């Protein structure tokens, strides 16, 4: 059964990305809920207006205005080629929001242009991550093997968190992570494969952590995640989600696909903690996970 118009509109309204449609005159005919959330403009404020009215006032990295003579949507409607660009839209409140924009023209059965569609997503988090990576590179605090933060950076961040915790009631959690049976990977498949395992885990942790958390390699096959603004049960959820994602990742080698698991010690920074007491407690909790059979998390 072909879904009706109301069903299709409901689906479009529930997209996470902003989406709007224009007719052949570049007049906006539809504006979904995500577009309202990202831009601040309600559907009633923009439907019927033209893109040339410069509502979102897209600009590129150099400050060039795109909505007049550089509009990607207008170009896509003209040459029937889809495009993807990064830009900055103007929120209703006036500030700029970084977005990834994807556009394509719409044609009828005869191939004539009848409109266009633009899909845009807020990439603020990506920009934050890129800025953090740039900071790490400048400070030479990236682990050269895995591409995540190194121990020096983690120690600095933990020191800051400890000082802040003494002054402000901000809850910060720490995950101390160790790869299960890592020596066996090295002995069986060689150190090159072992290095790939470490990269696999590092990238899984990094790409699935929140932008404001810190992920780094402590040394050897040990990793640390500093999770900000979490209470104990939230830290357990974060840790178990990362554990499950690592468990379900795999490394393809010439011989076969390899899977790996991690054990975790999880704890919340306390008012009277020092770096030494925090790390000792996290290490004890990690050892408890190893003793419990590995591939699990112990919270304390």
């Amino acid at each position: 059964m072909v879904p009706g118009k109301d069903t299709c509109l409901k689906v479009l309204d529930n997209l996470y990305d902003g989406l709007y449609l224009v007719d052949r005159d570049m007049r906006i005919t539809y504006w979904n809920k995500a577009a309202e959330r990202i831009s601040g403009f309600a559907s009633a404020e923009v439907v019927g207006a033209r893109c040339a009215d410069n509502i979102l006032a897209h600009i590129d990295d150099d400050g060039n205005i795109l909505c007049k003579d550089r509009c990607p949507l207008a170009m896509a409607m003209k040459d029937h080629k889809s495009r993807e660009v990064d830009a900055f839209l103007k929120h209703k409140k006036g500030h700029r929001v970084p977005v990834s924009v994807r556009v394509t023209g719409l044609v009828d059965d005869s191939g004539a242009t009848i409109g266009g569609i633009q899909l845009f997503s807020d990439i603020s988090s990506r920009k934050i991550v890129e800025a953090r990576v740039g900071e790490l590179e400048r400070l030479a605090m990236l682990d050269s093997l895995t591409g995540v933060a190194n121990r020096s950076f983690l120690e600095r961040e933990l020191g800051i968190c400890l000082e802040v915790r003494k002054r402000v009631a901000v809850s910060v959690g720490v995950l101390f992570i160790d790869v299960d049976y890592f020596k066996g990977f090295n002995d069986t498949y060689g150190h090159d494969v072992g290095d790939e395992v470490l990269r696999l885990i590092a990238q899984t942790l990094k790409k699935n952590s929140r932008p404001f958390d810190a992920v780094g390699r402590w040394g050897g096959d040990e990793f640390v995640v500093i999770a900000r603004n979490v209470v104990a049960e939230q830290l357990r959820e974060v840790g178990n989600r990362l554990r499950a994602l690592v468990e379900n990742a795999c490394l393809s080698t010439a011989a076969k696909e390899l899977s790996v698991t991690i054990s975790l010690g999880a704890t919340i920074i306390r008012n009277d903690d020092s770096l030494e007491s925090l790390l000792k407690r996290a290490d004890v909790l990690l050892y408890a996970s190893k003793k419990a059979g590995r591939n699990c998390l112990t919270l304390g």
Side-chain angles (χ1 to χ4, degrees):
M1 184 175 68
V2 178
K5 178 181 178 181
D6 290 343
T7 300
C8 292
L9 291 178
K10 186 175 181 181
V11 171
L12 294 179
D13 257 344
N14 282 280
L15 289 176
Y16 181 77
D17 291 338
L19 178 144
Y20 67 90
L21 306 176
V22 300
D23 61 19
R24 69 180 67 193
D25 296 320
M26 297 290 290
R27 195 173 299 278
I28 298 171
T29 60
Y30 173 75
W31 187 265
N32 77 350
K33 296 294 184 184
E36 293 184 332
R37 171 176 52 80
I38 295 171
S39 72
F41 288 99
S43 176
E45 296 177 280
V46 295
V47 169
R50 299 181 70 248
C51 287
D53 295 334
N54 217 18
I55 296 166
L56 297 181
H58 289 97
I59 61 174
D60 61 18
D61 284 329
D62 298 320
N64 298 309
I65 298 175
L66 303 181
C67 298
K68 296 295 184 181
D69 56 359
R70 302 186 185 203
C71 177
L73 181 54
M75 295 178 186
M77 290 169 60
K78 184 176 182 179
D79 62 17
H80 298 172
K81 293 180 180 179
S82 299
R83 287 171 169 78
E84 181 170 352
V85 299
D86 286 351
F88 300 84
L89 63 78
K90 187 172 76 174
H91 192 274
K92 183 180 179 180
K93 293 183 177 179
H95 60 274
R96 288 287 175 179
V97 179
V99 290
S100 176
V101 175
R102 285 148 288 173
V103 297
T104 190
L106 298 175
V107 298
D108 61 18
D109 292 338
S110 68
T113 297
I114 58 173
I117 180 170
Q118 180 169 135
L119 194 68
F120 59 98
S121 54
D122 184 340
I123 56 172
S124 300
S125 294
R126 192 185 84 188
K127 292 292 184 182
I128 292 171
V129 171
E130 289 173 350
R132 169 162 285 181
V133 170
E135 177 192 6
L136 290 173
E137 289 173 339
R138 287 193 299 273
L139 297 175
M141 288 189 171
L142 273 182
D143 177 62
S144 59
L145 176 65
T146 61
V148 295
N150 62 18
R151 181 166 178 161
S152 295
F153 178 83
L154 291 169
E155 288 180 338
R156 189 189 73 168
E157 288 293 292
L158 287 171
I160 293 172
C161 291
L162 287 164
E163 288 301 315
V164 170
R165 184 67 182 89
K166 292 174 183 178
R167 300 193 301 268
V168 186
V170 176
S171 185
V172 178
V174 177
L175 298 172
F176 210 69
I177 302 167
D178 186 80
V179 184
D180 296 329
Y181 304 110
F182 183 66
K183 185 176 183 299
F185 276 93
N186 279 336
D187 293 345
T188 304
Y189 302 105
H191 288 280
D192 287 346
V193 172
D195 288 349
E196 288 299 324
V197 168
L198 294 177
R199 292 188 188 99
L200 172 74
I201 294 171
Q203 292 305 309
T204 301
L205 297 176
K206 175 183 173 182
K207 292 182 181 297
N208 293 284
S209 293
R210 301 171 303 174
F212 44 85
D213 292 339
V215 177
R217 183 185 178 202
W218 191 251
D221 61 331
E222 294 178 329
F223 295 86
V224 169
V225 175
I226 303 171
R228 293 175 171 83
N229 299 316
V230 293
V231 296
E233 284 307 310
Q234 291 172 321
L235 181 63
R236 188 197 300 274
E237 292 175 4
V238 170
N240 275 324
R241 180 172 59 83
L242 294 174
R243 180 192 56 76
L245 288 168
V246 170
E247 182 183 10
N248 286 281
C250 65
L251 177 67
S252 297
T253 68
K256 62 177 181 178
E257 288 191 341
L258 304 175
S259 59
V260 65
T261 61
I262 54 176
S263 297
L264 303 90
T267 190
I268 298 292
I269 293 178
R270 302 169 185 172
N271 288 344
D272 59 350
D273 264 329
S274 64
L275 183 59
E276 292 73 20
S277 67
L278 173 65
L279 295 176
K280 182 177 180 179
R281 186 169 68 253
D283 193 51
V284 169
L285 294 166
L286 173 59
Y287 179 75
S289 293
K290 294 285 189 181
K291 193 173 180 180
R294 295 178 168 82
N295 191 25
C296 63
L297 178 149
T298 303
L299 177 68

